[in-house]
Amino acid sequence: MRILGVKYGLWISMILGFMVLGKVYGIGANWGTQATHPLPPNIVVKLLKDNGIQKVKLFDADSEILNALSGSGIEVMVGIPNEMLWSLANSLGAAEKWVEKNVSSHVSSNSVDIKYVAVGNEPFLSQLNGTFLSTTFPALQNIQAALIKAGLGNRVKVTIPLNADVYQSSSEKPSTGDFRQDIRDLMVSIVKFLSDNGGAFTVNIYPFISLYNDPNFPADYAFFDGYSSPIDDNGKIYNNVFDANHDTLLSALQKNGFPNMSIIIGEIGWPTDGDDNANLKAAQRFNRGFMTHISGGKGTPMRPGPIDAYLFSLIDEDAKSIQPGNFERHWGIYYFDGTPKYNLSLGANNGGGLVPASGVRYLARQWCVLSPSASLDDPQLADSVGYACSHADCTSLGHRTSCADLDARGNVSYAFNSYYQENDQQSSACKFPNLSMITNTDPSPPGGTCKFKIMIQASSPSSHKNNAFTTKPVNVMFLFIVSLLLSVL
């Protein structure tokens, strides 16, 4: 679809709210936990509060995170991973146990303000080939029944974060929108159930993915600061893909009898690395534009008023799958250590820009690099770089990335250091045979965007099983990466 933007993945979301008609609306940002060294939850909770963020959305029900949110005053949406849907769909008892453990106990004795349970995450994504079609709705029904039995039916609502590919349009005009034909009846049943129980329709919209998937997609249409060929849909003017996507969903809801259904934008954002269009400038342009677009409560052409939205994401996640693209590890408005990437105002409570995380503890100021005496012709070099990149994050290397200007020796050093840092600077993680050395001199190019990181002390130990280099087969993807990194010679 020309007007749709979609996205894959798991995460946490947050909202900076303002009061409208007695409800809290505002902007959010997903706080993902797929990281080798996640920030301690107490530090993240303080980061949320320091930035005036009033709501968080979790994509599981991690007890350490929920405990950190206790008494914080931050509203919470807890999540249920797709892998749990089958058991919850097939056993009301399992749903009751889940609600007791992950909702009731924290609400009653831990002072956690849980407002939503997100059942699954993009379970109808077309790439999943129908895996969760038969289990999502029954799981939703059982969780709702469990909440009612626990006396929480009025306090905690259910929702399903859905990908924008659950609806489509027959043209570029939003007014032609309807639910995807293969799941239309199921979607109508789910929407009716959500409506009957006071839930909301949660959808993830990604203009970046529209641009990523279609080389002919008009780039300016993905942003909010001017598009020379706006779409006229029966007098409603669309000059950005977000409004068009949102109103395509509204058309689908209206066609099926739910014109007033509440909508939550579960994810929206822009990555900063790992692709031609993923960089700091574009991400700042998009997120600033989006904040300006929604800050006045203007809404969209079909639905004026405030928009309840969650930025994706809060913090980079270096352990996410890169199957959709290398950009997957770079959606954060903060780097892995809670350092802001660029200036961004989330609203009145942080008008001065993003507040960095405080209390972050780092490992020693040392790096693992290619030894000056090492030769790029060493027969073990390719396997060494391939091993490092297959066990650590090298997605900032390559064409038009943040480290694209590194030479071949710099690329090798970056790969070695990434592996070394993710293995907590253990000396055995910098013993690539006759190739590597530890240095106290920062190898990051001065004044640029490429940063050789120093790892933080995480909330839980790393789980690397083997940090000593051994020659072993490397998959095709990483052989390609190695050839790309060394091709700059």
Side-chain angles (χ1 to χ4, degrees), residues 67-97:
N67 288 336
L69 287 163
S70 175
S72 65
I74 296 173
E75 293 185 3
V76 180
M77 180 188 291
V78 294
I80 297 174
N82 290 341
E83 292 72 24
M84 295 184 65
L85 294 177
W86 187 91
S87 62
L88 296 174
N90 286 278
S91 172
L92 178 58
E96 291 172 352
K97 290 179 180 178

Side-chain angles (χ1 to χ4, degrees), residues 98-129:
W98 190 93
V99 167
E100 171 58 31
K101 177 183 178 181
N102 299 295
V103 181
S104 300
S105 62
H106 290 286
V107 169
S108 61
S109 61
N110 206 18
S111 301
V112 181
D113 190 10
I114 297 175
K115 295 294 187 183
Y116 276 98
V117 174
V119 181
N121 182 59
E122 298 187 337
F124 303 150
L125 187 71
S126 57
Q127 288 87 342
L128 295 178
N129 298 316

Side-chain angles (χ1 to χ4, degrees), residues 9-11 13 57-61 77-86 88-89 98 116-125 128 132-133 135-141 143 158-163 190 194 202-204 266-267:
L10 300 173
W11 352 261
S13 300
K57 177 172 172 288
L58 313 176
F59 294 88
D60 56 17
M77 180 188 291
V78 294
I80 297 174
N82 290 341
E83 292 72 24
M84 295 184 65
L85 294 177
W86 187 91
L88 296 174
W98 190 93
Y116 276 98
V117 174
V119 181
N121 182 59
E122 298 187 337
F124 303 150
L125 187 71
L128 295 178
F132 304 107
L133 285 180
T135 55
T136 301
F137 189 24
L140 182 76
Q141 292 171 307
I143 289 295
V158 292
T159 189
I160 303 174
L162 293 163
N163 192 278
I190 287 174
L194 292 173
T202 300
V203 62
N204 303 332
E267 305 172 35

Side-chain angles (χ1 to χ4, degrees), residues 221-259:
Y221 194 45
F223 297 92
F224 299 93
D225 50 8
Y227 176 55
S228 59
S229 303
I231 293 170
D232 186 338
D233 188 0
N234 298 316
K236 292 181 171 59
I237 305 301
Y238 293 89
N239 55 25
N240 68 83
V241 71
F242 168 78
D243 282 354
N245 191 309
H246 180 280
D247 285 1
T248 301
L249 169 59
L250 275 176
S251 291
L253 291 169
Q254 289 180 0
K255 282 185 175 68
N256 291 283
F258 303 95

Side-chain angles (χ1 to χ4, degrees), residues 332-393:
I333 56 177
Y334 288 91
Y335 291 107
F336 71 100
D337 60 352
T339 301
K341 292 183 177 181
Y342 45 80
N343 189 42
L344 178 67
S345 174
L346 297 180
N349 289 350
N350 84 327
L354 298 174
V355 178
S358 58
V360 179
R361 300 174 64 188
Y362 294 84
L363 302 182
R365 285 186 57 81
Q366 57 190 36
W367 299 262
C368 179
V369 297
L370 181 66
S371 171
S373 62
S375 170
L376 290 174
D377 296 323
D378 190 299
Q380 295 199 76
L381 183 66
D383 276 351
S384 297
V385 174
Y387 184 87
C389 286
S390 65
H391 291 79
D393 181 26

Side-chain angles (χ1 to χ4, degrees), residues 73 103 118 130 135 224 257 318 330 332 418 421-422:
V103 181
T135 55
F224 299 93
D318 64 352
H330 303 280
S418 183
Q421 299 295 341
E422 290 188 20

